[in-house]
Amino acid sequence: MPPKVRFDREKIISAAFEIVREKGMEALCARAIAKAAGCSTQPLYHEMGGMEEIREAVMKRAGQYFEQFVEKQALLSPLPYLGSGLAYLRFAQEEKQLFQLLFMRQRSMEEQARAGADATFEFAAGLVAQNLGYSMEDAREFHRQSHVFIHGLAAMLTTGFIAWDEEEIIRLLRHQYRALRLAFETPAEKN
């Protein structure tokens, strides 16, 4: 009798992640994962415990992928804070399904609490503190306000409302950065 072929968690999660990356979370089902992993649906329940656990693993993998994507591009940039913003926008443009999964869906309060702090948020706030000499509290507030602008651009990119024009986007980001910096350095405007 031939030995049983075992499908490990990693193969199942990788197959599920690629489905979501290409088609979105709506396309994730046991049959699609089994087909992509080259197995029956039984290992999904035996190795993973079911679809909810697979969805959670895909969410975690998507978050890790996003963090690595942003931090790598930011650190390769001669201007890391600008690079982190451009990386966020590139992710929205190049990884539309993952961006929508991570940043453009309804969340329960419980899910928000479980998610905790966004590591890329702290990374970018740290760049602000380092570059501008702000306290971490002020750097977080600066980045929070900057992030509102960047996320708006990202939403427009991922939905096709605007097209990617790197030169124009860099101009917009620099303008917004200068305006926000001026606002923070003017005491009456800071609060």
Side-chain angles (χ1 to χ4, degrees), residues 44-74:
L44 279 60
Y45 296 95
H46 182 264
E47 295 297 323
M48 298 296 297
M51 289 302 297
E52 189 56 36
E53 190 174 330
I54 293 171
R55 282 186 199 91
E56 287 175 16
V58 168
M59 285 293 298
K60 183 176 181 182
R61 171 83 45 96
Q64 292 166 339
Y65 182 78
F66 168 73
E67 288 172 10
Q68 291 169 355
F69 186 96
V70 170
E71 290 181 14
K72 179 182 177 185
Q73 289 193 29

Side-chain angles (χ1 to χ4, degrees), residues 74-100:
L75 293 174
L76 291 174
S77 173
L79 299 169
Y81 189 66
L82 175 63
S84 71
L86 287 171
Y88 188 88
L89 296 170
R90 276 193 190 100
F91 189 84
Q93 178 69 23
E94 296 171 12
E95 300 287 353
K96 290 179 179 5
Q97 295 297 335
L98 294 179
F99 184 82
Q100 290 178 17

Side-chain angles (χ1 to χ4, degrees), residues 89 92-93 96 152-164 169:
L89 296 170
Q93 178 69 23
K96 290 179 179 5
L153 284 175
M156 289 188 274
L157 284 167
T158 199
T159 59
F161 189 77
I162 61 171
W164 177 266
I169 287 173

